[in-house]
Amino acid sequence: MENNAENIYFRIKIKARQQGLSLPQLAIKAGIGEKSIYRWKKIMPSIDSLMKVANVLNVPVSVLINGTEESKDEISIKKADLSDDSTLFTFQGKEIPKSDLEIIRRLLKGGNE
């Protein structure tokens, strides 16, 4: 296979066939253009469209992208301790003020202090 778009296209085609769906049927169920999936043989689909198709096929997007499900070992989980004053905590891309962090810490301790 020549490119990643083509790989995605063929994975979708196989998954659809396994579920008894034609590509136009799959596209309609996913709420995308009836011929959209055929274009994915040459053009990379949007993540939004890919997610819709994955949802109809009941598979993770990773199966369509790389042919395998992500294992929990591959998913990076970041841990931070709220008592660590050297960590910059953010919410929705904005820094959480120190005064708000103190309120959160008090709440987690049961509201005492």
Side-chain angles (χ1 to χ4, degrees), residues 30 41-42 50-51 53 64 82 86 97 104 106 108-109:
K41 192 171 183 180
K42 296 185 190 280
L50 204 52
M51 289 173 67
V53 168
L64 301 180
L82 279 171
S86 66
I104 294 168
R106 274 198 310 264
L108 291 171
K109 289 179 181 177

Side-chain angles (χ1 to χ4, degrees), residues 81-93:
D81 191 324
L82 279 171
S83 64
D84 183 358
D85 289 327
S86 66
T87 302
L88 175 65
F89 291 96
T90 62
F91 180 72
Q92 296 180 337

Side-chain angles (χ1 to χ4, degrees), residues 20-73:
L21 293 171
S22 68
L23 293 181
Q25 290 171 324
L26 174 58
I28 291 167
K29 282 186 162 204
I32 60 176
E34 188 174 339
K35 303 288 182 187
S36 295
I37 298 172
Y38 290 110
R39 287 191 293 270
W40 298 353
K41 192 171 183 180
K42 296 185 190 280
I43 299 169
M44 187 65 76
S46 71
I47 192 67
D48 183 54
S49 294
L50 204 52
M51 289 173 67
K52 289 176 181 179
V53 168
N55 188 44
V56 172
L57 294 173
N58 198 28
V59 298
V61 174
S62 62
V63 168
L64 301 180
I65 293 172
N66 60 29
T68 60
E69 290 189 43
E70 290 179 344
S71 71
K72 290 182 181 176
D73 295 337

